[in-house]
Structures are given as structure tokens and as C-alpha cells.
């Protein structure tokens, strides 16, 4: 995903935010969105799918919110701090909830263990960017 | 869009939320997401596109956040109030910003006038649902 | 959803396509995308969720493809017939598959019956627009 | 993006497709979706934005179709070859169109040069997977 960094660096507009932090957050968001999509599908294939319903639901929410957040954060033109802040906060909330739920299944299901890790990494990247947005 | 209501009503799980309020909010969200997609594209076709850059950017953000919010709100299974609240707040922020920007062009561009109205309607629906979520 | 029509009508660029057909297709696409999201979630709440796995998967695919198609079709600026045609064909394929699967559960589950109907309506709208695109 | 591979490998269901090819395609799709989102925004910040309208439109289409395709391809549960094939074909069509358009601006705009490359890489990954799907 060196592309996210290259695209931040070649953007004709400037940004108030640190370019590495911005690119890292975009990468964490799109990776987490995809991991959650894959985890929801893996849960759906589990013989114990009836026990995975809450996990599937949070995976789907997390995938949707991370994907939307990645797009908002990726846009540098006519940057709006209020919108950026609010969407990062929503993303932190869902990543935290999804990490907690996936974490409960992580010992028996490797896909949930990896997904919980990805959610925590994404939550942390969003918290760091949120602090920078101020 | 009577379908949103019918789907809420035939869901096998219960909901703490009022079913009409839920269906109205879903309808407002998906309608606003689409209107913003259409407004961004209409702005892109304006001869004065260079003056519409902020509007296009906010339209795109609003479309993405409304679409994600519509999906989270539409899911009644294993409802999570913290996530719902945070995503509604993000949606209110972007609808408000997009309505303000589109409103500035509304006198000369009918697509912006309609879009500002849709954003205000969606913002209001989200505020009402947020109050009900508590 | 009179908004989709109003936004088509106030777009500053022209379109080769009939404006009513275009607006009807956009409306069918966003309604179907949402109905499939709601159906996937309703299936997830069924006591017999283990029997609904194929249905949930197709609902999710159909929601994602209809949503992407609605955005492509809604954009009238710099219209590209090759892209429009290909995405309408993908949408027809997934609506047809999802309608067939949901139709199998329609007698016992009202949400699947409604969703199958919505998928058929959307498939038909896409076929009509595809014929017009040529 | 080692996560995409790890998630494919830990999925409880089997797949007819080669796991490396599947993970590579998912990675190419989500990277291309994001690059196109960033390119649309970079084009929007160009002083010559009026000349970039076709490019912005195709970038937005490509981002939406790649994102939807990445989700369909990432789902291994209840695999449906007809749907997979149709969505890969739509993705090939839009990646090819976007690569051609961005390629025309690549000499003067580094973001378009990178985006054209990403679209070509994604198109190739989709063609390879499509051949494997048969």
C-alpha cells in the first residue's frame, strides 16, 4: 500500500496534517474494512454460525464505517475539520466494539483473532489522527 | 420507499426504537446519499466547476457517510447503541456542513437547492433518531 | 424518491437516455440495495440462521453491487456506455441470483418474499435501461 | 496487506480458487479503489479542474466498482460463479477506461500516472481471476 503515501505526496493541494500519519491512517482504514468483510464471511461459514451473529453484525458495521471514513480522510481538498473529527469518532467507536467482540472468539477462531488486531490497529490510527486534527 | 417500512415490520428480531421513526430515517438517509451523488455530478457539469470544488467534496463525503449510516441503522440484529449514536452524530455533522455549502449555491443552481433541502431533512431525521437512542 | 427525478431534471448536462427511465432505475437500485441490506440482517436474526447462509451472502453481494450501480448510473457527466453496460449486466446477474434464492424462502419468510420482489423489479429496470444504452 | 492473505487462509470454508490469486486480487481491488478516490480528489484540487471532469467521473466510478468487487470476491461462502464473473467483467471495463483516461494526464500529473498504473494492475488481476473462474 505504498500507493496511499504516493498519492498523498503528489496531491496538488496542501494538507495541515502530517503526510505519513495521513497515509498510515488511510492504509489502516481500508485494510480494516476489508478484514472485517472477510471476517463476517468467515463467521458465516462457521458450523457455529448461530453463535457468531453479533460478531457478523459488528463486522459489517465496521466494514461500512471504515470504508466511508477512509474516503473522507483520503480527500484533502477543502478539508473540513468538523466532519473529519465526527467520522473519526464514529470509526473509533465501531472499531473498539468490533475488536472487543472478535477478541472473545479469537482463541478458537484465527480469523477473529486477526480481525480484532486489525480493528485495534485502525482504532489507534484514528485516535492519533483525531489528536492531530484537534 | 414503502419497502423500508415493510422490511422493518417483518424483521424477526424486535427493536427498542419506534418502527416508523426507524423506517423514516433509513429512507431519508438513502435518499440523501443518492441526492448528494447526483449533486456532485451536476456540479461537475457546471461551466463554473472551479467554483464548485468545496461543494463537490462535501457532496461526496455526505453521500459516503449517509450510505454507511443507512446500513448501520438498517441493521436491527444485535443493536449497539454506542455505535449507532456515533455514526448518527457523524451523519448530522456532514449533512449540516453539506446543507450549508449547497445552500449558498441554491439561488442559482436548482440541484444545490434540492440537495440542501434533502441534507436538512436527513439531518433532522438523524437528530430525532439520536434523541430516541438516548 | 421524487428527488431522483428532480435531480435528473435539473442536471446541467444533457443525457442520451430518457429522464424518467433513468430516474426509475436509480430509484429501483437504491431501494433494492437497502432492501437487501435489511434482508441480510433479518435472515441473521432468524432462529434458522444456519439455513440462511447462502441467502445472506447473496443479499450482501446484491446490496454492494446495486449501490455501486446506482452511483454509476446517477452520474450523467462524461457518460461512458461501455462502463454503464458492464455494470448493469453485473447488477442483472446478482439481482437474478438473489431473487431466486430469496424466492425459495418467500413462503415462510415475508422479508425474503419482499426482497425477491424488489430484486426482480430492479433486475427489470436494469434490463430496460441496458436496452436503451444499446 | 498481508491480512488479506491471512484471512483467506484462515477461512473455515474451502475455495475452488487459488488462495494466492484470490488474496492478490482482493489487495489489488482495495488498493485501486482507494487510489481512484485519492486521484479524483487530487484532480479536484488542480487549477485546471475544468479539464479533469472526465477523469474525476471515471475515478469515482472506478472507486465504487472496485470497492463492490473487492467485497464480492472476498466472500468465499456460497460462492456463485455467475455473479463473480459478471462483477469481474464490470471491474475490468471500468479499470480499463479509467487507466486510459488517467494515462492521458500522466505526463503532467503524477497522481494520474500512479492511478493509471494501479488501474492496469487491478485490471490484470481481475483478468487472471476471471480466467480461473472460467
Amino acid at each position: 500500500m505504498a500507493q496511499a503515501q504516493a498519492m498523498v505526496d503528489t496531491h496538488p493541494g496542501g494538507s495541515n496534517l502530517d503526510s505519513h500519519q495521513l497515509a498510515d491512517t488511510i492504509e489502516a482504514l481500508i485494510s480494516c474494512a476489508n478484514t472485517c468483510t472477510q471476517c463476517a464471511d468467515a463467521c458465516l461459514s462457521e458450523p457455529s454460525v448461530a453463535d457468531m451473529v453479533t460478531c457478523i453484525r459488528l463486522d459489517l458495521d465496521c466494514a461500512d464505517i471504515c470504508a466511508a471514513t477512509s474516503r473522507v480522510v483520503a480527500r484533502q481538498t477543502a478539508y473540513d475539520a468538523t466532519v473529519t473529527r465526527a467520522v473519526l469518532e464514529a470509526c473509533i467507536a465501531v472499531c473498539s466494539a468490533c475488536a472487543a467482540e472478535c477478541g472473545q472468539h479469537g482463541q478458537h477462531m484465527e480469523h477473529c483473532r486477526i480481525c480484532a488486531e486489525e480493528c485495534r490497529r485502525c482504532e489507534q490510527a484514528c485516535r492519533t489522527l483525531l489528536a492531530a486534527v484537534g
Side-chain angles (χ1 to χ4, degrees), chain A:
Chain A
M1 298 298 294
Q3 288 83 6
Q5 182 71 61
M7 293 300 283
V8 169
D9 291 341
T10 60
H11 194 287
S15 170
N16 298 335
L17 301 168
D18 176 78
S19 85
H20 290 290
Q21 208 170 70
L22 198 56
D24 281 357
T25 309
I26 294 168
E27 193 278 328
L29 285 161
I30 63 177
S31 179
C32 187
N34 175 58
T35 302
C36 286
T37 297
Q38 291 185 290
C39 190
D41 186 72
C43 291
L44 212 53
S45 275
E46 290 287 351
S48 58
V49 59
D51 300 329
M52 304 307 292
V53 164
T54 302
C55 197
I56 293 170
R57 190 252 147 92
L58 278 169
D59 277 335
L60 295 175
D61 282 3
C62 200
D64 288 335
I65 297 176
C66 284
T69 305
S70 78
R71 287 172 164 226
V72 174
V73 168
R75 293 183 188 117
Q76 300 176 245
T77 303
Y79 170 75
D80 183 315
T82 307
V83 173
T84 304
R85 211 179 285 127
V87 79
L88 285 172
E89 278 166 357
C91 203
I92 289 165
V94 78
C95 283
S96 170
C98 194
E101 179 63 29
C102 277
Q104 291 184 27
H105 308 284
Q107 277 202 314
H108 307 99
M109 294 174 194
E110 189 66 1
H111 54 81
C112 279
R113 192 192 60 71
I114 299 168
C115 191
E117 250 179 39
E118 276 287 281
C119 290
R120 287 290 176 214
R121 183 168 78 95
C122 187
E123 181 191 349
Q124 193 48 57
C126 289
R127 284 193 191 281
T128 306
L129 193 67
L130 183 61
V133 170

